[in-house]
Amino acid sequence: MGTNDQTRSLPRGLRLVAVAGAAALTLTAGLATPLDPAPQQARAADDGKVLTVAVAQSVDSLSPFLAVRLLSTSIHRLMYEYLTNYDPKDNHAIPGLATKWESSPDKLTWTYTIRSNSKWSDGKQATAEDAAWTFNKMMTDEGAATANGSYVGNFKKVTAPSPTELVVELKKPQATMTSLDVPIVPKHVWEKVSDFSEFNNDKNFPVVGNGPFTLTDYKADSYVRLKANKGFWRGAAKFDEVVFRYYKDQDAAVSALRKGEVSFVAGSPSLTPAQAASLEGADNIQVNDAPGRRFYALATNPGAKAKNGKKFGDGHPSLLDQRVRNALFMAVDREAIIEKVFQGHAVEGEGYIPPRFQNYFWKPSADQKLAYDPAEAARLLDQAGYKKNGDGKRVGKDGRPISYRVLCHATDPNDKAVGKYLQEWWGELGIGVQLNCLDNVTDPWLAGKYDLAFDGWSVNPDPDFVMSIHTCGALPATPEDTGATDNFICDKKYDELYARQLAEYDPAKRADIVQQMESRLYDLGYMNVMAYPNAVEAYRTDQIKSITTMPAKAGNIYGQDGYWSWWSAVPADSGGSSDNASSTGVVVGIVAAVVLLAGLGGFAVMRRRATAEDRE
């Protein structure tokens, strides 16, 4: 789950190849449909160049107030400006909708200068009033605070004294004021919304925005189409359109890349080792294997509860014992997962934040580390009172054999592969494992009806968001509500550390507190990080000229902390160079006369949390 992207440090070899000029092209773009069963040959369209990206994740919501999935939040980065952005080279804060910012000496008042050259796609000027309205709505409407409410929880007052001046007053200092990852929406459009908890922003097109692209069409579980905003203040994108096309079957997406029906494949969010290996050496296809910004974890149900104290769900009671949680993790061979499941396209998981963010990356000490040790795991289970019966099965306090239900994503091969290993490893401890692989893991997750679940988030350069989702304040108000929590964790000591890091402006001191938070999460054992997967992607070199990676050296293309990749992409037949493009980048292609994937089933857009490949 997650809406913030973050990257890690040095996994295996990264292979980003600069592509020299490519020939002007005619390429295939058709998909078989009931009316036209044969894929068609696409021609260079007279009405513009289309960049098509195959994705293995569907949209949960097109409302920036509700969306948490990586695909959805990536689309919102294309549609709306944020106050600040991240430099694609090194992630430092740079101007976005705000051209500059300053704080009062006590750090309690922040003043942002809003640029005067940003317009909404309907022609109206984007102003400080839009930003003030966005934040105030999140501060006063629980539905509007669903996705990003943690950013404004400490806000006292937000005003717009003039069209170019935004003033935010805080209750106490807040270190995230240059990294508020909140899309700013047009007040004149959104003030008409009556229920933010239900409005998915998916009925009227084009959707008014001020980012580098404008959303023009959408079909659930099928595609999202965006048109380049020619009036974008930073300059127009080189591609006229970007289409994200959904494939439930990731192998089918890889096949489409081979045929030239799509130009880029992101995976879910990465290609499997087998898929990547099958594309190595293929004509006009390059595989990009870069350090990722995600972690891959096993989440344990801590006993789902709401802020009002009411408990719900049916997590196994044995998992409330820290010794049991630690024992389970000590029976997970993380080195084997890296070698056999990810086949080297990942590094072993330790702390909650990937090593790509060196300032915040944390590793347990030798005494603290829960190393692979099945014998010690068995001893801990015995100590906790969960001993084997005559049949070699661990039994609970009720005398019944213990068997854990593990939520997994039906479309994620890694979940299934790791799940098989869990059945083997935990089986040796005398514990059963029931893999519950679903297309929609959201409903049982929100209801707390699971024992363990595969989980994962993309981390932003500023780690505040992914740390906030484990605070008590992120819990749902009642069992019937949806909170910002990832896994219902609520720990007083962790909350105290979270409050301290949020108010700490000294980078080194703040990093130290964040690492203490990671240490606390590790010891609690509710969130066990198994791996930091690489971002493994593939693209067609005959359809590209260049595209910006993030970071510029050894970076990913899909799911960036910004709009750099798709905004900078240069078509292969464009001729000449682009000031926007990275010389170390890759291209993502032209697809003309796109035949959009027709109905893959009636997908009800889910506004709630998803899990495992969700947030940015």
Side-chain angles (χ1 to χ4, degrees), residues 430-446:
I431 292 175
V433 173
Q434 175 189 342
L435 287 179
N436 190 16
C437 297
L438 305 171
D439 288 334
N440 169 24
V441 301
T442 301
D443 290 343
W445 191 299
L446 289 172

Side-chain angles (χ1 to χ4, degrees), residues 240-298:
D240 298 291
E241 286 186 322
V242 171
V243 175
F244 293 92
R245 184 183 293 166
Y246 171 69
Y247 287 82
K248 184 176 180 180
D249 184 338
Q250 194 165 307
D251 285 333
V254 172
S255 176
L257 181 75
R258 287 180 177 277
K259 298 173 183 176
E261 294 169 352
V262 299
S263 302
F264 181 93
V265 174
S268 63
S270 294
L271 299 178
T272 66
Q275 290 166 341
S278 73
L279 293 171
E280 291 281 4
D283 291 343
N284 301 318
I285 291 178
Q286 176 65 38
V287 175
N288 176 41
D289 187 354
R293 43 185 292 249
R294 301 183 63 80
F295 63 79
Y296 181 72
L298 193 61

Side-chain angles (χ1 to χ4, degrees), residues 206-230:
V207 175
V208 177
N210 64 338
F213 291 88
T214 301
L215 180 63
T216 58
D217 197 11
Y218 164 69
K219 182 169 183 171
D221 269 8
S222 187
Y223 64 84
V224 180
R225 182 189 287 273
L226 301 106
K227 185 177 181 180
N229 177 4
K230 300 302 183 183

Side-chain angles (χ1 to χ4, degrees), residues 395-450:
V395 294
K397 305 297 183 180
D398 58 3
R400 297 179 180 177
I402 296 175
S403 181
Y404 294 132
R405 301 158 300 161
V406 180
L407 274 178
C408 86
H409 300 76
T411 57
D412 192 334
N414 293 329
D415 284 7
K416 296 176 182 177
V418 174
K420 294 295 183 183
Y421 281 110
L422 294 181
Q423 290 176 326
E424 175 187 337
W425 294 329
W426 293 355
E428 293 174 357
L429 291 176
I431 292 175
V433 173
Q434 175 189 342
L435 287 179
N436 190 16
C437 297
L438 305 171
D439 288 334
N440 169 24
V441 301
T442 301
D443 290 343
W445 191 299
L446 289 172
K449 294 183 176 180
Y450 65 99

